[in-house]
Amino acid sequence: MTAAQILGEVFYTIIGLVFVLVGVKALKDDGCSKKITTAAFWFLLAFTFICGPWVPKWLVGAAIVIMAVLTAIGGVVQTKNDVPDPKEVRANADKFGYKIFIPAGCIALVAVVGATIGSKVPAFSWLTANNAIGLSGMVALCVAILLTKCAPKYAAVDGARLMDNVNTTGILPQLLSALGALFTAAGVGEAISYYVSMIVPENNILIACFVYCLGMALFTMIMGNGFAAFSVIMVGVGVPFLINNGANPIVVGALGLTAAYCGTLCTPMAANFNIVPAALLETKNKYSVIKSQIPFAIAMLLIHVVLLYTLAF
Amino acid sequence: MLIRLIGVAIVVVGLVLKFDTIATVVLAGIVTGLVGGMSIMDILTTLGNSFVSQRTATLFVLTLPAIGICERYGLKEKAIDFIRSIKSATAGRVIIVYEAIRTLASAFSIRLGGHPQFVRPVVVPMAEGAAVAKYGEINDEMQDIIRGGAAGAENYGNFFAQNCFMGSSGTLLIAGFLSETLGLGETGAIALEVAKWSIPVAVISMVLGVIRNIWLDKQLDKANKGGNK
């Protein structure tokens, strides 16, 4: 193993420990009737992160299946969190002022600077971009603790609290990348492109750009989930019709997800972003948020087609 | 050919019917593998392999402890203070200022909290306050225009700027896909590139947001003339 890989495993182990903390928190919550299944989910997830590379991979696959069963039966819930007292937070805000943005700003800064140095300076080759992201989290944590002089235990308490807030959807991107790989292995991409090629004339790049962006948006509108649409449309349209025709894969990928978000703006399926806020803001029409967003979304989607056509080729 | 798409169909049906997302995705993977002629052991191994190599997509967890402590020490409160300190003449301009802050925060992976913590308690009262000052009173139609616009600004800033941070979950999903499926190299290095190529969309989204909200002020003028129906 290289130094870069070892450091990477250290970071994955730390992530695993955050999952363990969420699980332990669940076990301690006596008011929660689902504490056993909730804890089981987080411990299994921690197992895949910490032990994943060292055990037979079918064991990891089996762990994922059990985790899916646990979420399917509604067994994974948020448990009691140590939420900071609003009065205390207000007092802290007045005391520290805008300085509290420094640690938060460190995250993006250290990640980008670290990754750039790691790719340019041979002595820092262990600082891969993955490791730079991990490092940025750790540097920001140290800066936050030094700045606020808070007890280091809050790193664990608040880390577990936010992870619990993100809850099971936090692993969705990872799971969907895995699904994309499985789809590709099983020939799903070929099947979709077989049907898409019936509508799209071959080698017409502009129409392919349009179908790709529109496909992302429409699939997201149907499913309410841009991440899921991304995996499907990327496999079925992005790779065969754009990337295999010489498009820059980075540009295709970057614009694909934001094209999907144009669909998110138009669909009641994305309830968290459109329907819940309308209820929260007590608008007269429950579709007022969507109504307000549709012109923006259409303009944005057309701009995506133009950007893709000009930047990717 | 058609049978190979059963996994896609499962994802669509599962999410439309609001079944559990994780279970739907795993089921779609298993069925797709079975239809493709893989054995259960093959499927579990493939699933486990890609899951382990895709752990990068969950690297954002490492930033949570720092963000959590910042929140405990008033990150959101100071952001609210900042927005309150800005004097804007119209509802549209209040929303523009919020969208600018939201876009910037999103690009730096600072989670401000969205509709419940920000739009309802801060942006909407300020925008409606500005409208009341201008028009005297606001009718139901104007109220819906302002509230819809404010909720939208939150979504634009959130969606179209978040991928500018290389460690955001969306950026890592894209990079993970390109690395895993196309063998383009290390996920993190791709993520840095994806983040760079996400900047044009973030800038354009902000420009469109400005136009949208200048138009929002025009919509309010028109709705104001209509009176309270």
Side-chain angles (χ1 to χ4, degrees), chain B:
Chain B
M1 244 344 172
L2 204 55
I3 189 78
R4 284 200 211 162
L5 295 181
I6 188 161
V8 178
I10 291 174
V11 173
V12 171
V13 172
L15 297 190
V16 168
L17 296 182
K18 303 255 177 242
F19 288 135
D20 179 71
T21 315
I22 291 175
T24 304
V25 170
V26 172
L27 184 70
I30 293 174
V31 174
T32 301
L34 286 176
V35 170
M38 296 162 82
S39 72
I40 291 282
M41 280 308 266
D42 281 350
I43 295 170
L44 290 182
T45 305
T46 310
L47 195 62
N49 250 328
S50 359
F51 194 76
V52 168
S53 66
Q54 286 307 315
R55 285 176 296 168
T56 35
T58 312
L59 273 175
F60 74 91
V61 172
L62 286 169
T63 64
L64 295 182
I67 301 273
I69 290 179
C70 288
E71 280 184 15
R72 188 175 285 273
Y73 284 84
L75 183 75
K76 281 180 189 160
E77 280 64 20
K78 287 317 287 180
I80 292 174
D81 288 354
F82 181 72
I83 292 177
R84 286 223 171 101
S85 71
I86 293 165
K87 302 271 175 286
S88 298
T90 68
R93 280 183 217 163
V94 170
I95 298 174
I96 289 173
V97 169
Y98 177 65
E99 192 182 331
I101 292 168
R102 188 69 178 88
T103 302
L104 215 59
S106 185
F108 278 84
S109 83
I110 300 173
R111 302 165 359 131
L112 286 182
H115 299 105
Q117 288 96 337
F118 246 92
V119 177
R120 187 187 158 111
V122 184
V123 184
V124 166
M126 281 180 69
E128 290 186 350
V132 169
K134 183 173 170 188
Y135 301 107
E137 60 176 313
I138 50 174
N139 59 37
D140 287 353
E141 190 189 348
M142 293 164 82
Q143 191 175 305
D144 266 23
I145 292 172
I146 293 175
R147 293 181 178 188
E154 156 70 29
N155 286 338
Y156 311 147
N158 178 14
F159 294 173
F160 296 108
Q162 57 174 263
N163 291 353
C164 296
F165 174 53
M166 63 183 288
S168 77
S169 55
T171 309
L172 291 171
L173 167 74
I174 299 167
F177 181 94
L178 294 175
S179 156
E180 180 83 8
T181 312
L182 299 177
L184 237 51
E186 189 218 12
T187 303
I190 304 173
L192 187 58
E193 287 299 308
V194 171
K196 278 186 205 156
W197 283 103
S198 297
I199 295 173
V201 165
V203 173
I204 290 169
S205 148
M206 191 59 235
V207 173
L208 270 187
V210 171
I211 297 170
R212 168 72 187 89
N213 287 303
I214 291 173
W215 178 44
L216 184 135
D217 277 334
K218 299 260 185 295
Q219 283 180 301
L220 288 179
D221 286 342
K222 202 173 146 211
N224 182 46
K225 284 188 194 114
N228 215 341
K229 281 170 226 161

